[in-house]
Amino acid sequence: MSKIKENNPEYFTDWKYAPSPESKDHIRLQNRYELFINGKFVKPNSKKYFDTINPATEEKIAEIAEANEKDVDLAVTAAKNAYDKVWKKMPGKERAKYIYRIARMIQEKARELAVIETMDGGKAIRESRDIDVPLAANHFFYYAGWADKLEYAFPNRKPQSLGVAGQIIPWNFPLLMAAWKIAPALATGNTVVLKPAETTSLTALKLAEIIQESGLPEGVVNIVTGFGNTGAAIVNHANVNKVAFTGSTDVGKIIQKAIAGTNKKLTLELGGKAANIVFEDAPLDQAVEGIINGIFFNQGHVCCAGSRLLVQEGVAEILIRKLKDRMETLIVGDPLDKNTDIGAINSKEQLSKINEYIKIGTNEGAEIFQPSCSLPKKGFFCKPTLFLNTSQSHRVVQEEIFGPVLAVQTFRTVEEAIEKANNIPFGLSAGIWTDKGSKIFNMTSKMRAGVVWANTYNKFDPTSPFGGYKESGFGREGGLHGLAAYLNF
Amino acid sequence: MERIEVLKTYKLYIGGTFPRTESGRYYQLMNSKKEIIANVSLGSRKDFRNAVVAARGAFGGWSARAAFNRGQILYRIAEMLEGRKEQFVNELVQQGIKKTAAEDEVKKSIDRLVYYSGWCDKFITLFGGVNPVASSHFNFSVPEAMGVVAIVAPENSGLLGIISVIAPCIAGGNTCIILASEKLPLCAVTFAEVLATSDVPGGVVNILTGTSKELHSHFSNHMDVNAVVFCRDDKAERKAVAENGALNVKRIYFWDKDWNKDESENPYLIMDLQEIKTTWHPIENIGVGGAKY
């Protein structure tokens, strides 16, 4: 950067962005959160609470109830009763109106939810404000409309709801993942027991408050907080008819194995290691923006992150130079600041995992690049990182890091790009950058991945199905296809 | 002098060729009078692994065929089967099925192939589509073949059973390895001869004979298999298949159906073995009112 600066002084100023923090004054948080079971907030049988902290400051925000097996049993029983006595019998038209209400109330409380999401999870406020919260509301709004139209979705079938859906969600998009899980489950006539991730329970609990306020019949949605044990209790409960899990491939495999031999229906949305493929004829500046958005969106805590860059040899040098320049301009720091591009890493554990991979990448012989930005002294932060000259067998190429780390490889031919892109156990997403339409369609059909972004990246919409091939899981969330996960037909 | 009949050797069908099992083992198939009617290959783990290699090799080409072309090939299988009706009826009768039931089964099998032939270029329109996203993007979702599918065929339906599960699998562009019924294996092997003369590329369908007891765990724990369709009712085997599936997040299906019934043929069986792929592309937004799909 400094060289470019010296050679082109007219393009550069020393202007800095003034701090522009989002206000926290208007948010309402309690010191302690209980479990949301059968329409009420109740103390846990475990009598245990754990702290949730702000990963940007390491300060405690609140304490959260830990649900044990007994608590999960109460939640599942509440969900089953609500299913049998109320929800199953309610006409789709009426179910829809509750779901619409929830959508509207999320919109009303959007700013508060965005601030809490950022405080609890570390993501930049720009993202929680413009992406997570609006998409969550839209998801409820979209699926509400399906509730009375299910027979049109599956030709020649009369779809039936399943019963109690046990849903376990990750910490990277806490409110949005809750919406992805709850909205289609309710629209299809199922009731819910949902467990948020232990580092990011707050917006799910705020959603519980919204659900309570909406007048949704008691027990239709239950939210139990806790760790892996709580999740396992949900998965293994005999009265759970459907398990929906978003998280790591390792845990997904454990769940798939655990429910073997039962009649539980399963959908898994697991890890990824997507290739962002840039051809010589690509619009390079747009591609650079797409690569940045692909890997640094949400600190790289994204299962569909474009964590591998495959660049065609002829443009590799110029593209990598542009990429490095762009990385120099990224603002890493206070997630509540509206100018921040990259916020805090979600937890200390995740930061040490990412740092471990940065060590592994260096030891494997890849060349590392990090911009010259400084990191806040407190909190969990990680510089955006490139690994250049990586090869297909490197662990930083094969394994999901779930952080702001991009592994760069080059290729010569279309065949080589396809081979490298597909030669991993995952198959969640891929990115294609080229100005040639026929090449886009060739590439999209050859990618063994569930979502392909061509000349764009990391776009989401409630109407658009999302989900993986291979070890990235099965089933789809979003769109018409997302209904199938919650119905028998 | 009475002519000596030429007896048939029932072999496996892997990669478009008819090898004997590498294991050299066999089991004896008896008729109701306890007479030996065939020595049937006891397919092994190695045979299965060879078949997976053949199926994976054939997948790229088969899934990239035009849907219309796959439809024609499935129709061609029906044509070939029609021409050999008598042979299949005789084999079913030999294995203890009544003549009228055998005739009915063969007719249904042919019709089922014609049914799925027609679906090849239609289910994508029915189950895919354009998604009206709120941002300025063109977004569409289409079903796409899952890959290599390992199938343990129904035990009680020697011809209709195997065709009812192969047809939706390959109609959707998948390739498969299928274990024939243990007590009714003859038609499966003869059906391989039909496939071999029907323009179905080698490796698209691979047929093994043998026992589910020996092979179910290999079918379900192979790391280059994308999905397993298990059509037997042994509870312990089902559980093992489901557990093994977790090794590489296989899609596991238990298809229990009365294959004689018309409702046992439907496009949802094709869709069980499809992934949904969604593609996004930006739309230029210049001009009055922008543009949208």
Side-chain angles (χ1 to χ4, degrees), chain B residues 200-260:
Chain B
V200 181
V204 170
V205 179
N206 303 275
I207 300 176
L208 307 183
T209 50
T211 69
S212 176
K213 190 168 187 290
E214 178 181 345
L215 291 174
H216 74 276
S217 62
H218 304 309
F219 271 52
S220 51
N221 67 21
H222 195 296
M223 294 298 274
D224 203 25
V225 167
N226 299 94
V228 177
V229 175
F230 192 80
C231 308
R232 307 273 169 96
D233 48 19
D234 184 302
K235 278 215 171 95
E237 287 184 9
R238 280 180 172 227
K239 185 163 186 225
V241 165
E243 280 184 353
N244 288 339
L247 285 169
N248 61 337
V249 197
K250 279 186 196 75
R251 289 81 170 118
I252 307 286
Y253 295 94
F254 300 104
W255 288 354
D256 323 279
K257 293 191 187 302
D258 179 350
W259 298 105
N260 273 308

Side-chain angles (χ1 to χ4, degrees), chain A residues 97-272:
Chain A
K97 286 187 278 185
Y98 282 115
I99 307 170
Y100 279 125
R101 268 194 205 172
I102 295 169
R104 282 306 205 209
M105 290 168 78
I106 292 173
Q107 289 174 331
E108 284 167 359
K109 300 182 181 200
R111 189 55 58 95
E112 182 186 20
L113 289 165
V115 172
I116 295 173
E117 195 74 304
T118 284
M119 286 171 64
D120 201 24
K123 67 172 64 199
I125 186 72
R126 185 164 53 83
E127 292 175 8
S128 38
R129 181 193 65 199
D130 297 347
I131 296 165
D132 292 63
V133 176
L135 272 180
N138 295 358
H139 222 80
F140 277 102
F141 200 89
Y142 172 78
Y143 274 110
W146 269 120
D148 57 353
K149 303 171 187 71
L150 297 173
E151 289 179 17
Y152 294 92
F154 303 100
N156 209 24
R157 287 289 182 274
K158 282 197 187 305
Q160 306 290 323
S161 57
L162 305 172
V164 177
Q167 307 179 321
I168 299 167
I169 57 171
W171 43 259
N172 56 344
F173 296 92
L175 181 69
L176 183 57
M177 289 302 106
W180 279 29
K181 293 281 181 286
I182 295 173
L186 296 188
T188 48
N190 300 281
T191 57
V192 166
V193 176
L194 175 125
K195 187 194 94 71
E198 61 268 23
T199 59
T200 55
S201 309
L202 285 179
T203 45
L205 291 161
K206 293 301 281 186
L207 180 62
E209 290 176 1
I210 288 174
I211 285 167
Q212 200 178 35
E213 202 179 320
S214 76
L216 187 76
E218 289 172 356
V220 171
V221 172
N222 304 273
I223 294 178
V224 289
T225 40
F227 298 82
N229 291 341
T230 310
I234 295 174
V235 168
N236 295 321
H237 197 292
N239 285 335
V240 165
N241 306 96
K242 148 92 196 177
V243 175
F245 172 76
T246 297
S248 72
T249 292
D250 287 347
V251 176
K253 288 178 177 178
I254 293 169
I255 292 174
Q256 189 179 2
K257 194 169 177 194
I259 67 159
T262 72
N263 287 325
K264 290 173 191 173
K265 195 166 168 156
L266 177 66
T267 40
L268 297 172
E269 205 275 89
L270 309 177

Side-chain angles (χ1 to χ4, degrees), chain A residues 155 444 447-448 469 473 481, chain B residues 127 134 144 146 251 268 277-278:
Chain A
T444 58
M447 291 295 105
R448 300 294 294 159
Y469 286 30
H481 300 91
Chain B
F127 294 100
E144 206 173 64
M146 237 167 217
R251 289 81 170 118
Y268 292 97
K277 173 179 281 178
T278 300

Side-chain angles (χ1 to χ4, degrees), chain A residues 138 153-157 249 252-254 256-257 259-261 268 270 286 434 440-441 443-456 459-461 463-476 479-481 489, chain B residues 56 59 63-64 126-129 131-135 137-147 223 226 235 238-252 263 265-268 271 275-282:
Chain A
N138 295 358
F154 303 100
N156 209 24
R157 287 289 182 274
T249 292
K253 288 178 177 178
I254 293 169
Q256 189 179 2
K257 194 169 177 194
I259 67 159
L268 297 172
L270 309 177
Q286 283 176 43
T434 167
I440 289 173
F441 286 110
M443 290 299 294
T444 58
S445 72
K446 297 274 168 53
M447 291 295 105
R448 300 294 294 159
V451 183
V452 180
W453 286 291
N455 292 325
T456 185
K459 293 286 181 284
F460 309 93
D461 192 273
T463 66
S464 174
F466 181 92
Y469 286 30
K470 302 195 283 186
E471 294 194 20
S472 289
F474 45 72
R476 293 291 176 269
L480 182 151
H481 300 91
F489 43 84
Chain B
R56 179 60 67 192
F59 175 66
S63 59
L126 199 59
F127 294 100
N131 308 306
V133 294
S135 56
H137 292 90
F138 181 62
N139 174 302
F140 63 99
S141 297
V142 283
E144 206 173 64
M146 237 167 217
M223 294 298 274
N226 299 94
K235 278 215 171 95
R238 280 180 172 227
K239 185 163 186 225
V241 165
E243 280 184 353
N244 288 339
L247 285 169
N248 61 337
V249 197
K250 279 186 196 75
R251 289 81 170 118
I252 307 286
E263 61 261 32
E265 55 182 26
N266 64 67
Y268 292 97
M271 287 305 294
E275 303 283 357
I276 298 296
K277 173 179 281 178
T278 300
T279 301
W280 293 69
H281 196 279

Side-chain angles (χ1 to χ4, degrees), chain B residues 88-105:
Chain B
F88 283 94
V89 171
N90 288 341
E91 270 179 357
L92 286 171
V93 169
Q94 242 191 324
Q95 293 171 103
I97 312 281
K98 288 213 171 69
K99 180 102 194 265
T100 49
E103 282 169 349
D104 189 46
E105 178 168 350

